[in-house]
Amino acid sequence: MTDLDALRSRWARTLLAVRRGVAEPDAAPYAENLLRRWSEPQRRYHTVGHLVAVLDHVDRLAAYADDPDAVRLAAWFHDAVYRPEHSENEERSARLAERALPEAGVERATTAEVARLVRLTADHAPAPGDANGAVLCDADLAILAAPEETYATYTAAVRAEYAFVPEQVFRTARAALLRQLLGQERMFRTPYGERTWAEAARRNLRGELARLDV
C-alpha cells in the first residue's frame, strides 16, 4: 500500500526547494490534484506505485542531474495525464505542468525545464550532455531491470492497461518496442544506470520478446 502522506511530504519538500523556501501558495492542493490523477481507475501500471518508484530512482541518480528538484517535479508530472487510448499523454502532461507550476509559485525557467523533461519521456532519448534528461529517462525505464517476478507483474499491468487492443496487435506493437530498445547502443544514459541496470534489462527484454513469439 502506497503511503500517500509520505508522497505529499515529498511533493511539499520539492516545491519548497524550487521556491527557495517561500511557503506560499499552499502546496497541498497541487499534491491532491496530482495524486487523484495518479489514482485514476484506468491505470494498472502507471499508478502512484510507479510514481514512487520513479521518485526513488531519481533520488538514487540525483548526483548526475544538474537540477535534481526540477527532475523530481518532472517525475510527478510525467504521466499525470494518462489515457492508454491516446497518443499525446506526454504533451498533455507537459501542458498541465506549464499551467500548474506557475500557479504554485515556480519560476518560469524551472517550469520550462520541467515541461521539457516531461515531453522527453515520449521517446526517452535525451541528447548527449542532457544530464537532467538522462536522470529522468533512466528513472522511468529502471523497471526494465527489475527482478524476473517484478518484471512479469509490470508486463501484465501494461497489458491490462491496453486491454482494449486485440492480442495480436498488442504483441506486434510491443515486440517492435522491445526490439527498438534492444537495438540502442546504450539502454541507460547515466553511468549508474548503464553499469547497474543494463544487463538485467536486456535479459528481461529478450525473454519477453521470446514469449511474444512474433
PDB file of all heavy atoms in Angstrom, residues 87-125:
ATOM      1  N   SER A  87      -2.484   9.124 -27.761  1.00  0.00           N
ATOM      2  CA  SER A  87      -1.053   9.118 -28.087  1.00  0.00           C
ATOM      3  C   SER A  87      -0.341  10.381 -27.631  1.00  0.00           C
ATOM      4  O   SER A  87       0.860  10.512 -27.868  1.00  0.00           O
ATOM      5  CB  SER A  87      -0.878   8.959 -29.604  1.00  0.00           C
ATOM      6  OG  SER A  87      -1.479  10.047 -30.298  1.00  0.00           O
ATOM      7  N   GLU A  88      -1.035  11.305 -27.002  1.00  0.00           N
ATOM      8  CA  GLU A  88      -0.431  12.587 -26.643  1.00  0.00           C
ATOM      9  C   GLU A  88      -0.372  12.789 -25.129  1.00  0.00           C
ATOM     10  O   GLU A  88      -0.440  13.911 -24.632  1.00  0.00           O
ATOM     11  CB  GLU A  88      -1.207  13.736 -27.287  1.00  0.00           C
ATOM     12  CG  GLU A  88      -1.185  13.692 -28.812  1.00  0.00           C
ATOM     13  CD  GLU A  88      -1.906  14.865 -29.443  1.00  0.00           C
ATOM     14  OE1 GLU A  88      -2.645  15.565 -28.716  1.00  0.00           O
ATOM     15  OE2 GLU A  88      -1.726  15.082 -30.655  1.00  0.00           O
ATOM     16  N   ASN A  89      -0.220  11.711 -24.386  1.00  0.00           N
ATOM     17  CA  ASN A  89      -0.215  11.837 -22.929  1.00  0.00           C
ATOM     18  C   ASN A  89       0.944  12.694 -22.421  1.00  0.00           C
ATOM     19  O   ASN A  89       0.769  13.496 -21.499  1.00  0.00           O
ATOM     20  CB  ASN A  89      -0.162  10.449 -22.291  1.00  0.00           C
ATOM     21  CG  ASN A  89      -1.453   9.692 -22.479  1.00  0.00           C
ATOM     22  OD1 ASN A  89      -2.537  10.196 -22.206  1.00  0.00           O
ATOM     23  ND2 ASN A  89      -1.362   8.459 -22.958  1.00  0.00           N
ATOM     24  N   GLU A  90       2.128  12.519 -22.996  1.00  0.00           N
ATOM     25  CA  GLU A  90       3.279  13.298 -22.532  1.00  0.00           C
ATOM     26  C   GLU A  90       3.078  14.791 -22.812  1.00  0.00           C
ATOM     27  O   GLU A  90       3.386  15.630 -21.962  1.00  0.00           O
ATOM     28  CB  GLU A  90       4.564  12.797 -23.202  1.00  0.00           C
ATOM     29  CG  GLU A  90       4.965  11.386 -22.785  1.00  0.00           C
ATOM     30  CD  GLU A  90       4.260  10.302 -23.572  1.00  0.00           C
ATOM     31  OE1 GLU A  90       3.519  10.636 -24.521  1.00  0.00           O
ATOM     32  OE2 GLU A  90       4.450   9.111 -23.242  1.00  0.00           O
ATOM     33  N   GLU A  91       2.575  15.104 -23.997  1.00  0.00           N
ATOM     34  CA  GLU A  91       2.320  16.502 -24.324  1.00  0.00           C
ATOM     35  C   GLU A  91       1.270  17.098 -23.389  1.00  0.00           C
ATOM     36  O   GLU A  91       1.435  18.233 -22.899  1.00  0.00           O
ATOM     37  CB  GLU A  91       1.870  16.625 -25.781  1.00  0.00           C
ATOM     38  CG  GLU A  91       1.523  18.039 -26.216  1.00  0.00           C
ATOM     39  CD  GLU A  91       2.694  19.004 -26.114  1.00  0.00           C
ATOM     40  OE1 GLU A  91       3.864  18.570 -26.244  1.00  0.00           O
ATOM     41  OE2 GLU A  91       2.439  20.204 -25.893  1.00  0.00           O
ATOM     42  N   ARG A  92       0.218  16.374 -23.128  1.00  0.00           N
ATOM     43  CA  ARG A  92      -0.823  16.873 -22.231  1.00  0.00           C
ATOM     44  C   ARG A  92      -0.315  16.996 -20.809  1.00  0.00           C
ATOM     45  O   ARG A  92      -0.677  17.934 -20.080  1.00  0.00           O
ATOM     46  CB  ARG A  92      -2.045  15.958 -22.293  1.00  0.00           C
ATOM     47  CG  ARG A  92      -2.727  15.976 -23.658  1.00  0.00           C
ATOM     48  CD  ARG A  92      -3.890  15.017 -23.748  1.00  0.00           C
ATOM     49  NE  ARG A  92      -4.467  15.018 -25.077  1.00  0.00           N
ATOM     50  CZ  ARG A  92      -5.548  14.334 -25.430  1.00  0.00           C
ATOM     51  NH1 ARG A  92      -6.182  13.601 -24.549  1.00  0.00           N
ATOM     52  NH2 ARG A  92      -5.988  14.393 -26.680  1.00  0.00           N
ATOM     53  N   SER A  93       0.547  16.078 -20.392  1.00  0.00           N
ATOM     54  CA  SER A  93       1.147  16.159 -19.058  1.00  0.00           C
ATOM     55  C   SER A  93       2.056  17.381 -18.962  1.00  0.00           C
ATOM     56  O   SER A  93       2.078  18.071 -17.933  1.00  0.00           O
ATOM     57  CB  SER A  93       1.930  14.884 -18.751  1.00  0.00           C
ATOM     58  OG  SER A  93       1.074  13.762 -18.686  1.00  0.00           O
ATOM     59  N   ALA A  94       2.815  17.644 -20.022  1.00  0.00           N
ATOM     60  CA  ALA A  94       3.693  18.822 -20.032  1.00  0.00           C
ATOM     61  C   ALA A  94       2.877  20.106 -19.954  1.00  0.00           C
ATOM     62  O   ALA A  94       3.243  21.051 -19.241  1.00  0.00           O
ATOM     63  CB  ALA A  94       4.556  18.814 -21.288  1.00  0.00           C
ATOM     64  N   ARG A  95       1.769  20.153 -20.672  1.00  0.00           N
ATOM     65  CA  ARG A  95       0.922  21.347 -20.636  1.00  0.00           C
ATOM     66  C   ARG A  95       0.308  21.539 -19.253  1.00  0.00           C
ATOM     67  O   ARG A  95       0.139  22.677 -18.796  1.00  0.00           O
ATOM     68  CB  ARG A  95      -0.163  21.244 -21.699  1.00  0.00           C
ATOM     69  CG  ARG A  95       0.370  21.361 -23.117  1.00  0.00           C
ATOM     70  CD  ARG A  95      -0.740  21.180 -24.137  1.00  0.00           C
ATOM     71  NE  ARG A  95      -0.220  21.156 -25.498  1.00  0.00           N
ATOM     72  CZ  ARG A  95      -0.944  20.903 -26.569  1.00  0.00           C
ATOM     73  NH1 ARG A  95      -2.254  20.654 -26.445  1.00  0.00           N
ATOM     74  NH2 ARG A  95      -0.401  20.894 -27.773  1.00  0.00           N
ATOM     75  N   LEU A  96      -0.028  20.434 -18.594  1.00  0.00           N
ATOM     76  CA  LEU A  96      -0.518  20.526 -17.223  1.00  0.00           C
ATOM     77  C   LEU A  96       0.539  21.156 -16.327  1.00  0.00           C
ATOM     78  O   LEU A  96       0.234  22.037 -15.514  1.00  0.00           O
ATOM     79  CB  LEU A  96      -0.887  19.137 -16.707  1.00  0.00           C
ATOM     80  CG  LEU A  96      -1.325  19.064 -15.244  1.00  0.00           C
ATOM     81  CD1 LEU A  96      -2.637  19.819 -15.036  1.00  0.00           C
ATOM     82  CD2 LEU A  96      -1.481  17.598 -14.803  1.00  0.00           C
ATOM     83  N   ALA A  97       1.783  20.723 -16.470  1.00  0.00           N
ATOM     84  CA  ALA A  97       2.871  21.313 -15.691  1.00  0.00           C
ATOM     85  C   ALA A  97       3.009  22.799 -15.987  1.00  0.00           C
ATOM     86  O   ALA A  97       3.226  23.610 -15.072  1.00  0.00           O
ATOM     87  CB  ALA A  97       4.181  20.588 -15.980  1.00  0.00           C
ATOM     88  N   GLU A  98       2.887  23.165 -17.247  1.00  0.00           N
ATOM     89  CA  GLU A  98       3.018  24.570 -17.631  1.00  0.00           C
ATOM     90  C   GLU A  98       1.905  25.431 -17.047  1.00  0.00           C
ATOM     91  O   GLU A  98       2.109  26.628 -16.793  1.00  0.00           O
ATOM     92  CB  GLU A  98       3.037  24.688 -19.154  1.00  0.00           C
ATOM     93  CG  GLU A  98       4.325  24.154 -19.781  1.00  0.00           C
ATOM     94  CD  GLU A  98       4.258  24.026 -21.288  1.00  0.00           C
ATOM     95  OE1 GLU A  98       3.133  23.884 -21.835  1.00  0.00           O
ATOM     96  OE2 GLU A  98       5.317  24.053 -21.916  1.00  0.00           O
ATOM     97  N   ARG A  99       0.737  24.845 -16.819  1.00  0.00           N
ATOM     98  CA  ARG A  99      -0.349  25.587 -16.183  1.00  0.00           C
ATOM     99  C   ARG A  99      -0.202  25.613 -14.663  1.00  0.00           C
ATOM    100  O   ARG A  99      -0.388  26.651 -14.023  1.00  0.00           O
ATOM    101  CB  ARG A  99      -1.695  24.955 -16.546  1.00  0.00           C
ATOM    102  CG  ARG A  99      -2.085  25.077 -18.001  1.00  0.00           C
ATOM    103  CD  ARG A  99      -3.561  24.734 -18.194  1.00  0.00           C
ATOM    104  NE  ARG A  99      -3.912  23.417 -17.681  1.00  0.00           N
ATOM    105  CZ  ARG A  99      -3.840  22.296 -18.392  1.00  0.00           C
ATOM    106  NH1 ARG A  99      -3.381  22.324 -19.642  1.00  0.00           N
ATOM    107  NH2 ARG A  99      -4.209  21.135 -17.887  1.00  0.00           N
ATOM    108  N   ALA A 100       0.093  24.449 -14.080  1.00  0.00           N
ATOM    109  CA  ALA A 100       0.028  24.315 -12.627  1.00  0.00           C
ATOM    110  C   ALA A 100       1.231  24.931 -11.910  1.00  0.00           C
ATOM    111  O   ALA A 100       1.073  25.554 -10.850  1.00  0.00           O
ATOM    112  CB  ALA A 100      -0.093  22.839 -12.247  1.00  0.00           C
ATOM    113  N   LEU A 101       2.422  24.751 -12.451  1.00  0.00           N
ATOM    114  CA  LEU A 101       3.609  25.168 -11.708  1.00  0.00           C
ATOM    115  C   LEU A 101       3.710  26.680 -11.496  1.00  0.00           C
ATOM    116  O   LEU A 101       4.050  27.118 -10.389  1.00  0.00           O
ATOM    117  CB  LEU A 101       4.865  24.611 -12.373  1.00  0.00           C
ATOM    118  CG  LEU A 101       5.028  23.093 -12.227  1.00  0.00           C
ATOM    119  CD1 LEU A 101       6.243  22.603 -13.007  1.00  0.00           C
ATOM    120  CD2 LEU A 101       5.139  22.694 -10.756  1.00  0.00           C
ATOM    121  N   PRO A 102       3.415  27.517 -12.496  1.00  0.00           N
ATOM    122  CA  PRO A 102       3.428  28.959 -12.205  1.00  0.00           C
ATOM    123  C   PRO A 102       2.421  29.349 -11.132  1.00  0.00           C
ATOM    124  O   PRO A 102       2.704  30.202 -10.275  1.00  0.00           O
ATOM    125  CB  PRO A 102       3.080  29.591 -13.560  1.00  0.00           C
ATOM    126  CG  PRO A 102       3.528  28.578 -14.565  1.00  0.00           C
ATOM    127  CD  PRO A 102       3.225  27.242 -13.932  1.00  0.00           C
ATOM    128  N   GLU A 103       1.246  28.716 -11.163  1.00  0.00           N
ATOM    129  CA  GLU A 103       0.257  28.975 -10.104  1.00  0.00           C
ATOM    130  C   GLU A 103       0.793  28.574  -8.741  1.00  0.00           C
ATOM    131  O   GLU A 103       0.459  29.188  -7.725  1.00  0.00           O
ATOM    132  CB  GLU A 103      -1.025  28.194 -10.389  1.00  0.00           C
ATOM    133  CG  GLU A 103      -1.811  28.666 -11.593  1.00  0.00           C
ATOM    134  CD  GLU A 103      -3.058  27.815 -11.795  1.00  0.00           C
ATOM    135  OE1 GLU A 103      -3.329  26.949 -10.937  1.00  0.00           O
ATOM    136  OE2 GLU A 103      -3.756  28.020 -12.808  1.00  0.00           O
ATOM    137  N   ALA A 104       1.623  27.529  -8.717  1.00  0.00           N
ATOM    138  CA  ALA A 104       2.184  27.030  -7.463  1.00  0.00           C
ATOM    139  C   ALA A 104       3.424  27.801  -7.031  1.00  0.00           C
ATOM    140  O   ALA A 104       4.071  27.433  -6.040  1.00  0.00           O
ATOM    141  CB  ALA A 104       2.527  25.548  -7.603  1.00  0.00           C
ATOM    142  N   GLY A 105       3.773  28.843  -7.768  1.00  0.00           N
ATOM    143  CA  GLY A 105       4.877  29.696  -7.355  1.00  0.00           C
ATOM    144  C   GLY A 105       6.229  29.311  -7.902  1.00  0.00           C
ATOM    145  O   GLY A 105       7.262  29.771  -7.404  1.00  0.00           O
ATOM    146  N   VAL A 106       6.247  28.481  -8.944  1.00  0.00           N
ATOM    147  CA  VAL A 106       7.514  28.040  -9.534  1.00  0.00           C
ATOM    148  C   VAL A 106       7.910  29.013 -10.647  1.00  0.00           C
ATOM    149  O   VAL A 106       7.082  29.392 -11.479  1.00  0.00           O
ATOM    150  CB  VAL A 106       7.393  26.609 -10.086  1.00  0.00           C
ATOM    151  CG1 VAL A 106       8.677  26.173 -10.781  1.00  0.00           C
ATOM    152  CG2 VAL A 106       7.039  25.649  -8.950  1.00  0.00           C
ATOM    153  N   GLU A 107       9.180  29.402 -10.660  1.00  0.00           N
ATOM    154  CA  GLU A 107       9.635  30.381 -11.638  1.00  0.00           C
ATOM    155  C   GLU A 107       9.572  29.833 -13.053  1.00  0.00           C
ATOM    156  O   GLU A 107       9.549  28.622 -13.286  1.00  0.00           O
ATOM    157  CB  GLU A 107      11.052  30.836 -11.305  1.00  0.00           C
ATOM    158  CG  GLU A 107      12.096  29.755 -11.402  1.00  0.00           C
ATOM    159  CD  GLU A 107      13.473  30.249 -11.019  1.00  0.00           C
ATOM    160  OE1 GLU A 107      13.577  31.288 -10.352  1.00  0.00           O
ATOM    161  OE2 GLU A 107      14.454  29.576 -11.394  1.00  0.00           O
ATOM    162  N   ARG A 108       9.602  30.756 -14.011  1.00  0.00           N
ATOM    163  CA  ARG A 108       9.395  30.405 -15.418  1.00  0.00           C
ATOM    164  C   ARG A 108      10.447  29.421 -15.934  1.00  0.00           C
ATOM    165  O   ARG A 108      10.118  28.468 -16.636  1.00  0.00           O
ATOM    166  CB  ARG A 108       9.412  31.676 -16.261  1.00  0.00           C
ATOM    167  CG  ARG A 108       9.158  31.448 -17.742  1.00  0.00           C
ATOM    168  CD  ARG A 108       9.151  32.747 -18.502  1.00  0.00           C
ATOM    169  NE  ARG A 108       8.133  33.661 -17.986  1.00  0.00           N
ATOM    170  CZ  ARG A 108       7.984  34.914 -18.445  1.00  0.00           C
ATOM    171  NH1 ARG A 108       8.777  35.368 -19.404  1.00  0.00           N
ATOM    172  NH2 ARG A 108       7.035  35.684 -17.937  1.00  0.00           N
ATOM    173  N   ALA A 109      11.704  29.651 -15.603  1.00  0.00           N
ATOM    174  CA  ALA A 109      12.767  28.792 -16.141  1.00  0.00           C
ATOM    175  C   ALA A 109      12.630  27.360 -15.649  1.00  0.00           C
ATOM    176  O   ALA A 109      12.816  26.407 -16.422  1.00  0.00           O
ATOM    177  CB  ALA A 109      14.137  29.353 -15.771  1.00  0.00           C
ATOM    178  N   THR A 110      12.292  27.186 -14.385  1.00  0.00           N
ATOM    179  CA  THR A 110      12.118  25.828 -13.844  1.00  0.00           C
ATOM    180  C   THR A 110      10.897  25.169 -14.453  1.00  0.00           C
ATOM    181  O   THR A 110      10.930  23.972 -14.794  1.00  0.00           O
ATOM    182  CB  THR A 110      12.003  25.867 -12.316  1.00  0.00           C
ATOM    183  OG1 THR A 110      13.185  26.467 -11.773  1.00  0.00           O
ATOM    184  CG2 THR A 110      11.848  24.469 -11.738  1.00  0.00           C
ATOM    185  N   THR A 111       9.817  25.922 -14.609  1.00  0.00           N
ATOM    186  CA  THR A 111       8.620  25.382 -15.246  1.00  0.00           C
ATOM    187  C   THR A 111       8.933  24.895 -16.658  1.00  0.00           C
ATOM    188  O   THR A 111       8.513  23.799 -17.064  1.00  0.00           O
ATOM    189  CB  THR A 111       7.505  26.437 -15.297  1.00  0.00           C
ATOM    190  OG1 THR A 111       7.114  26.769 -13.960  1.00  0.00           O
ATOM    191  CG2 THR A 111       6.293  25.937 -16.063  1.00  0.00           C
ATOM    192  N   ALA A 112       9.675  25.689 -17.408  1.00  0.00           N
ATOM    193  CA  ALA A 112      10.027  25.300 -18.772  1.00  0.00           C
ATOM    194  C   ALA A 112      10.877  24.039 -18.784  1.00  0.00           C
ATOM    195  O   ALA A 112      10.698  23.161 -19.646  1.00  0.00           O
ATOM    196  CB  ALA A 112      10.766  26.446 -19.470  1.00  0.00           C
ATOM    197  N   GLU A 113      11.798  23.918 -17.838  1.00  0.00           N
ATOM    198  CA  GLU A 113      12.638  22.727 -17.779  1.00  0.00           C
ATOM    199  C   GLU A 113      11.817  21.494 -17.410  1.00  0.00           C
ATOM    200  O   GLU A 113      12.004  20.421 -17.998  1.00  0.00           O
ATOM    201  CB  GLU A 113      13.766  22.928 -16.763  1.00  0.00           C
ATOM    202  CG  GLU A 113      14.655  21.716 -16.532  1.00  0.00           C
ATOM    203  CD  GLU A 113      15.464  21.276 -17.750  1.00  0.00           C
ATOM    204  OE1 GLU A 113      15.282  21.846 -18.854  1.00  0.00           O
ATOM    205  OE2 GLU A 113      16.273  20.338 -17.613  1.00  0.00           O
ATOM    206  N   VAL A 114      10.897  21.627 -16.487  1.00  0.00           N
ATOM    207  CA  VAL A 114      10.033  20.504 -16.123  1.00  0.00           C
ATOM    208  C   VAL A 114       9.216  20.057 -17.330  1.00  0.00           C
ATOM    209  O   VAL A 114       9.135  18.851 -17.638  1.00  0.00           O
ATOM    210  CB  VAL A 114       9.109  20.885 -14.952  1.00  0.00           C
ATOM    211  CG1 VAL A 114       8.053  19.807 -14.723  1.00  0.00           C
ATOM    212  CG2 VAL A 114       9.923  21.106 -13.678  1.00  0.00           C
ATOM    213  N   ALA A 115       8.618  20.995 -18.037  1.00  0.00           N
ATOM    214  CA  ALA A 115       7.811  20.643 -19.210  1.00  0.00           C
ATOM    215  C   ALA A 115       8.670  19.977 -20.281  1.00  0.00           C
ATOM    216  O   ALA A 115       8.237  19.008 -20.926  1.00  0.00           O
ATOM    217  CB  ALA A 115       7.132  21.884 -19.770  1.00  0.00           C
ATOM    218  N   ARG A 116       9.883  20.482 -20.485  1.00  0.00           N
ATOM    219  CA  ARG A 116      10.785  19.859 -21.458  1.00  0.00           C
ATOM    220  C   ARG A 116      11.082  18.412 -21.087  1.00  0.00           C
ATOM    221  O   ARG A 116      11.064  17.510 -21.935  1.00  0.00           O
ATOM    222  CB  ARG A 116      12.102  20.651 -21.526  1.00  0.00           C
ATOM    223  CG  ARG A 116      13.085  20.103 -22.556  1.00  0.00           C
ATOM    224  CD  ARG A 116      14.444  20.778 -22.446  1.00  0.00           C
ATOM    225  NE  ARG A 116      15.188  20.318 -21.271  1.00  0.00           N
ATOM    226  CZ  ARG A 116      15.907  19.204 -21.237  1.00  0.00           C
ATOM    227  NH1 ARG A 116      15.954  18.400 -22.299  1.00  0.00           N
ATOM    228  NH2 ARG A 116      16.579  18.869 -20.156  1.00  0.00           N
ATOM    229  N   LEU A 117      11.347  18.177 -19.820  1.00  0.00           N
ATOM    230  CA  LEU A 117      11.663  16.831 -19.359  1.00  0.00           C
ATOM    231  C   LEU A 117      10.470  15.898 -19.508  1.00  0.00           C
ATOM    232  O   LEU A 117      10.624  14.743 -19.901  1.00  0.00           O
ATOM    233  CB  LEU A 117      12.129  16.878 -17.896  1.00  0.00           C
ATOM    234  CG  LEU A 117      13.478  17.538 -17.657  1.00  0.00           C
ATOM    235  CD1 LEU A 117      13.699  17.755 -16.158  1.00  0.00           C
ATOM    236  CD2 LEU A 117      14.612  16.706 -18.245  1.00  0.00           C
ATOM    237  N   VAL A 118       9.287  16.389 -19.198  1.00  0.00           N
ATOM    238  CA  VAL A 118       8.083  15.560 -19.360  1.00  0.00           C
ATOM    239  C   VAL A 118       7.923  15.155 -20.826  1.00  0.00           C
ATOM    240  O   VAL A 118       7.656  13.984 -21.136  1.00  0.00           O
ATOM    241  CB  VAL A 118       6.850  16.313 -18.849  1.00  0.00           C
ATOM    242  CG1 VAL A 118       5.569  15.555 -19.214  1.00  0.00           C
ATOM    243  CG2 VAL A 118       6.925  16.511 -17.334  1.00  0.00           C
ATOM    244  N   ARG A 119       8.099  16.090 -21.731  1.00  0.00           N
ATOM    245  CA  ARG A 119       7.981  15.773 -23.161  1.00  0.00           C
ATOM    246  C   ARG A 119       9.036  14.747 -23.583  1.00  0.00           C
ATOM    247  O   ARG A 119       8.800  13.934 -24.479  1.00  0.00           O
ATOM    248  CB  ARG A 119       8.101  17.045 -23.988  1.00  0.00           C
ATOM    249  CG  ARG A 119       6.897  17.975 -23.845  1.00  0.00           C
ATOM    250  CD  ARG A 119       6.985  19.185 -24.757  1.00  0.00           C
ATOM    251  NE  ARG A 119       5.729  19.937 -24.712  1.00  0.00           N
ATOM    252  CZ  ARG A 119       5.550  21.062 -24.014  1.00  0.00           C
ATOM    253  NH1 ARG A 119       6.565  21.572 -23.318  1.00  0.00           N
ATOM    254  NH2 ARG A 119       4.373  21.660 -24.001  1.00  0.00           N
ATOM    255  N   LEU A 120      10.182  14.776 -22.936  1.00  0.00           N
ATOM    256  CA  LEU A 120      11.267  13.860 -23.287  1.00  0.00           C
ATOM    257  C   LEU A 120      10.891  12.405 -23.021  1.00  0.00           C
ATOM    258  O   LEU A 120      11.433  11.500 -23.665  1.00  0.00           O
ATOM    259  CB  LEU A 120      12.510  14.250 -22.477  1.00  0.00           C
ATOM    260  CG  LEU A 120      13.849  13.646 -22.869  1.00  0.00           C
ATOM    261  CD1 LEU A 120      14.211  14.011 -24.308  1.00  0.00           C
ATOM    262  CD2 LEU A 120      14.927  14.140 -21.919  1.00  0.00           C
ATOM    263  N   THR A 121       9.960  12.160 -22.110  1.00  0.00           N
ATOM    264  CA  THR A 121       9.590  10.781 -21.803  1.00  0.00           C
ATOM    265  C   THR A 121       8.743  10.143 -22.896  1.00  0.00           C
ATOM    266  O   THR A 121       8.416   8.953 -22.816  1.00  0.00           O
ATOM    267  CB  THR A 121       8.849  10.676 -20.451  1.00  0.00           C
ATOM    268  OG1 THR A 121       7.629  11.439 -20.492  1.00  0.00           O
ATOM    269  CG2 THR A 121       9.728  11.190 -19.308  1.00  0.00           C
ATOM    270  N   ALA A 122       8.423  10.888 -23.935  1.00  0.00           N
ATOM    271  CA  ALA A 122       7.707  10.291 -25.064  1.00  0.00           C
ATOM    272  C   ALA A 122       8.596   9.299 -25.811  1.00  0.00           C
ATOM    273  O   ALA A 122       8.120   8.288 -26.327  1.00  0.00           O
ATOM    274  CB  ALA A 122       7.215  11.372 -26.019  1.00  0.00           C
ATOM    275  N   ASP A 123       9.915   9.596 -25.875  1.00  0.00           N
ATOM    276  CA  ASP A 123      10.804   8.673 -26.577  1.00  0.00           C
ATOM    277  C   ASP A 123      12.036   8.277 -25.770  1.00  0.00           C
ATOM    278  O   ASP A 123      12.835   7.456 -26.215  1.00  0.00           O
ATOM    279  CB  ASP A 123      11.235   9.258 -27.921  1.00  0.00           C
ATOM    280  CG  ASP A 123      12.009  10.566 -27.798  1.00  0.00           C
ATOM    281  OD1 ASP A 123      12.342  10.975 -26.656  1.00  0.00           O
ATOM    282  OD2 ASP A 123      12.290  11.183 -28.845  1.00  0.00           O
ATOM    283  N   HIS A 124      12.198   8.863 -24.572  1.00  0.00           N
ATOM    284  CA  HIS A 124      13.325   8.517 -23.705  1.00  0.00           C
ATOM    285  C   HIS A 124      14.656   8.599 -24.451  1.00  0.00           C
ATOM    286  O   HIS A 124      15.486   7.702 -24.372  1.00  0.00           O
ATOM    287  CB  HIS A 124      13.149   7.111 -23.108  1.00  0.00           C
ATOM    288  CG  HIS A 124      11.961   6.979 -22.229  1.00  0.00           C
ATOM    289  ND1 HIS A 124      10.757   6.519 -22.702  1.00  0.00           N
ATOM    290  CD2 HIS A 124      11.779   7.247 -20.913  1.00  0.00           C
ATOM    291  CE1 HIS A 124       9.876   6.514 -21.714  1.00  0.00           C
ATOM    292  NE2 HIS A 124      10.467   6.962 -20.617  1.00  0.00           N
ATOM    293  N   ALA A 125      14.850   9.698 -25.193  1.00  0.00           N
ATOM    294  CA  ALA A 125      16.071   9.861 -25.970  1.00  0.00           C
ATOM    295  C   ALA A 125      16.714  11.210 -25.670  1.00  0.00           C
ATOM    296  O   ALA A 125      16.714  12.110 -26.526  1.00  0.00           O
ATOM    297  CB  ALA A 125      15.773   9.724 -27.461  1.00  0.00           C
TER     298      ALA A 125
END
